Amino acid sequence: MGAVLTLIDLAGAVALLLWGVHMVQSGIERAYGPNLRRLLATALKGRGKAFLAGLGVTAVLQSSTATGLMTAGFAAAGLVDLVPALAIMLGANVGTTLIVQVLSFDVARWSPLLILIGVVAFRRGGASRTRDLGRVAIGLGLVLLSLHQLLLLSLPFESRPSLRLVLGAVSAQPAIDFIIAAAATWAAHSSVAIVLLIMSLAAKGAVTLPAALALVLGANFGTALNPLFESATKGDPAARRLPLGNLLNRLLGCVIALALVGPIAAQFAAIEPDPARAVADFHTGFNLVTGALFLPLLGPFARLLRQLLPARTAADPGRPLYLDEGAEMPAIALAGAAREALRMADVLAAMLRGASEALNGNDRRRIGETRRLDDVLDRLNAAIKTYLAALSPDGLDEEDDRRLSEILSFITNLEHAGDIVTGGVLAAEAKLAKRGLAFSPEGRTEIGAILDRLETNLRAATAVFMTDDPRAARKLRAEKEAFRRLDAQATEAHFARIRAGRAESLATSGLHLDVLRDLKRINAHLTRAADPILDRHGELLASRLRESGE
């Protein structure tokens, strides 16, 4: 009976460790998630900056999975190439080791103080960020408390010959250690928790240092499995490039290190007599070396991944790909919804291109194909709204509420713009085809140029939606006035052709003006992506009307 109770205590301590790590991750994500997303968005120009951004963001967030999800969102938007995305993941792998470094020191005595500070901040903090930081402090305190409990629970087992026999047999098989740790990390969804547990076992001599290092390698490999398994459900193989690339990087590094685990353990034992510190140092050193080895090779590696996983169009373009019903964190659920919103932007871009290609007035096949895309837009819009409506309000903080509103506003504007393309622009082109008419060559050129400008503005609106950058928002908002001038010029040029007696302009005048009006309405919907950001920075007027002074 005593053995059963001890095992229950051990399982409870491990569960407390996992929950503490979860609280740290969720608290940081809630407090600084949008800021971390903006940091990533501004550091995607080169692999060096991307590596440092991934390291910094993950060091704060303590979740390489969340960093990878944000990076995948930028990749889906076309804002980042595969090379810097892989560099971010190399940096993220290093970032996850930093909290392990901190907790490798004797900081268990701070556990009660951290929990006390966290509870006070959580209960008394008026601002949501203060409550989130209180959650982080509670999580850190629980992690330290669980590690101390694990050390105490391991004491009765040290003198048991049967346990020493089992651990000795396992310690002699690095491959078995690797597999055990990989499976445990995959099940726990946290390499941080597993490495901390390995440190605890090594500190009490429950496992030898070579076995501990093999276990650490397994934890590094296991944490890359979950993103790959999750991406396997996606329709487009291109969505699996980033998680597969990260997994292959880790696998190759683990194979090399596992073959040399004996000499490496001897070197670390000579440098660092404390086994727990040696485990932490090896964990960080392994990821640093792996990053240094693979960073220069990311170019050809990315080309290989593109060949292995060529992009293809999903069989059902209206089926959501990124709405994860099992998402535990609101920020991850919102990131998935944002990625689906980017797919809506891609569909709208295809509709604008289709309208431009059908401008000659007789391509009925192209008009029909483009009209069918509006159904895809409507289905994605409905799926995203249903998904967001199912999120529990209790789990959303102020930042989550803001992001949810931004997503809803963005997809609503995209859906309205798609309706105008279908019911306005394409309907006018279909009427021209039915009547055997066509806009004048000058009119087609003007409308084609405006459609190209709309596609550029759609890309700018997508970038603003993803990056939350006020400078990009100001530039996008300026397009509203610029577009008004462009519309006025096109209208005046059309009237000039009518006054000159151009027959084709006179015959198509009503439809021509309708199309110009509809294109202006589409642009108004696109530029609204800038409004939430400008409003937060106090740069958006409540009204454009001047007071009369009466």
Side-chain angles (χ1 to χ4, degrees):
M1 187 65 181
V4 173
L5 293 176
T6 302
L7 289 175
I8 292 175
D9 291 340
L10 182 63
V14 173
L16 186 63
L17 174 63
L18 293 174
W19 185 250
V21 172
H22 169 75
M23 290 191 68
V24 173
Q25 293 174 355
S26 62
I28 292 294
E29 173 69 23
R30 289 171 182 232
Y32 298 107
N35 296 328
L36 298 177
R37 185 168 56 248
R38 284 194 292 271
L39 175 61
L40 278 182
T42 58
L44 300 177
K45 303 302 181 183
R47 66 186 71 182
K49 289 183 178 179
F51 177 86
L52 294 176
L55 188 156
V57 168
T58 310
V60 175
L61 193 59
Q62 279 308 304
S63 174
S64 58
T65 300
T67 303
L69 186 59
M70 287 189 284
T71 307
F74 291 123
L79 301 176
V80 55
D81 188 49
L82 185 58
V83 171
L86 290 168
I88 285 177
M89 293 311 301
L90 289 176
N93 296 338
V94 178
T96 56
T97 71
L98 298 187
I99 193 173
V100 175
Q101 281 289 339
V102 173
L103 297 179
S104 65
F105 295 97
D106 185 15
V107 290
R109 68 187 66 177
W110 298 101
S111 172
L113 179 60
L114 284 171
I115 295 176
L116 175 62
I117 293 174
V119 170
V120 171
F122 187 83
R123 294 179 62 87
R124 299 293 179 88
S128 61
R129 179 165 292 180
T130 302
R131 289 171 58 88
D132 293 332
L133 292 178
R135 186 191 304 269
V136 173
I138 294 172
L140 286 174
L142 293 180
V143 168
L144 297 178
L145 182 63
S146 63
L147 289 174
H148 180 67
Q149 187 69 14
L150 284 170
L151 289 175
L152 294 178
L153 288 172
S154 64
L155 291 176
F157 290 93
E158 288 185 6
S159 58
R160 296 199 174 184
S162 57
L163 178 64
R164 288 189 172 275
L165 182 62
V166 172
L167 291 176
V170 172
S171 298
Q173 300 293 331
I176 296 178
D177 297 329
F178 179 86
I179 294 172
I180 291 174
T185 306
W186 167 77
H189 285 64
S190 174
S191 62
V192 173
I194 299 302
V195 173
L196 290 175
L197 180 59
I198 295 168
M199 287 170 50
S200 176
L201 295 174
K204 301 306 297 181
V207 294
T208 63
L209 186 57
L213 301 191
L215 290 167
V216 169
L217 292 174
N220 277 274
F221 179 74
T223 194
L225 291 174
N226 283 302
L228 182 64
F229 292 156
E230 291 171 5
S231 68
T233 62
K234 306 298 186 290
D236 191 351
R240 297 193 287 273
R241 290 172 183 166
L242 183 60
L244 178 62
N246 184 48
L247 180 71
L248 292 177
N249 286 339
R250 289 205 171 195
L251 177 60
L252 185 56
C254 287
V255 169
I256 296 173
L258 199 61
L260 303 173
V261 71
I264 293 174
Q267 289 294 325
F268 272 94
I271 298 172
E272 177 56 68
D274 183 356
R277 291 281 310 130
V279 168
D281 291 343
F282 173 75
H283 184 41
T284 302
F286 168 75
N287 284 284
L288 282 173
V289 171
T290 302
L293 287 176
F294 283 102
L295 201 59
L297 305 175
L298 291 182
F301 185 53
R303 289 193 292 271
L304 175 62
L305 288 172
R306 293 189 186 98
Q307 292 176 0
L308 293 174
L309 298 170
R312 71 164 181 262
T313 304
D316 182 4
R319 182 177 65 86
L321 300 179
Y322 306 110
L323 301 182
D324 183 5
E325 300 294 340
E328 298 180 358
M329 297 171 57
I332 293 180
L334 293 174
R339 292 184 72 184
E340 289 296 341
L342 299 179
R343 293 185 64 213
M344 288 185 62
D346 290 340
V347 174
L348 180 58
M351 295 177 68
L352 293 173
R353 287 193 296 272
S356 180
E357 293 169 1
L359 260 180
N360 58 11
N362 56 16
D363 192 350
R364 295 187 181 185
R365 181 187 60 81
R366 192 72 180 96
I367 293 173
E369 292 175 351
T370 306
R371 273 180 162 170
R372 284 191 289 272
L373 290 177
D374 189 48
D375 294 333
V376 176
L377 207 62
D378 292 341
R379 289 170 59 195
L380 289 174
N381 176 59
I384 296 172
K385 286 182 177 178
T386 302
Y387 178 75
L388 293 177
L391 295 180
S392 173
D394 296 336
L396 302 176
D397 61 14
E398 184 178 347
E399 288 291 340
D400 294 332
D401 279 328
R402 178 187 63 78
R403 186 57 175 165
L404 188 148
S405 298
E406 288 178 355
I407 295 172
L408 287 175
S409 176
F410 185 67
I411 64 174
T412 300
N413 282 309
L414 293 181
E415 196 266 338
H416 288 339
D419 288 342
I420 297 171
V421 173
T422 302
V425 180
L426 292 175
E429 292 177 347
K431 288 179 181 179
L432 289 176
K434 184 177 181 180
R435 297 173 186 176
L437 299 174
F439 292 136
S440 66
E442 296 88 349
R444 289 198 300 270
T445 301
E446 291 162 2
I447 294 176
I450 294 176
L451 283 167
D452 291 341
R453 184 78 168 260
L454 281 176
E455 193 171 349
T456 300
N457 289 350
L458 175 58
R459 287 195 295 269
T462 303
V464 168
F465 170 70
M466 287 301 299
T467 63
D468 235 15
D469 183 35
R471 294 170 301 176
R474 285 191 291 270
K475 185 176 179 180
L476 176 63
R477 196 62 168 76
E479 277 296 310
K480 193 167 187 178
E481 184 60 35
F483 211 87
R484 187 179 292 112
R485 293 192 298 268
L486 189 64
D487 173 72
Q489 293 170 3
T491 302
E492 180 57 34
H494 174 70
F495 286 150
R497 289 191 293 273
I498 291 178
R499 290 193 295 269
R502 296 285 295 274
E504 67 266 46
S505 295
L506 185 60
T508 60
S509 180
L511 292 175
H512 190 104
L513 294 176
D514 286 345
V515 169
L516 290 178
R517 178 202 63 199
D518 290 333
L519 296 178
K520 184 178 176 181
R521 291 169 59 204
I522 293 170
N523 187 69
H525 284 297
L526 298 182
T527 55
R528 284 175 188 158
D531 291 356
I533 301 172
L534 297 179
D535 188 39
R536 286 202 309 276
H537 287 79
E539 300 182 30
L540 196 64
L541 297 177
S543 173
R544 297 182 65 89
L545 297 177
R546 186 180 62 186
E547 295 183 3
S548 62
E550 296 180 357

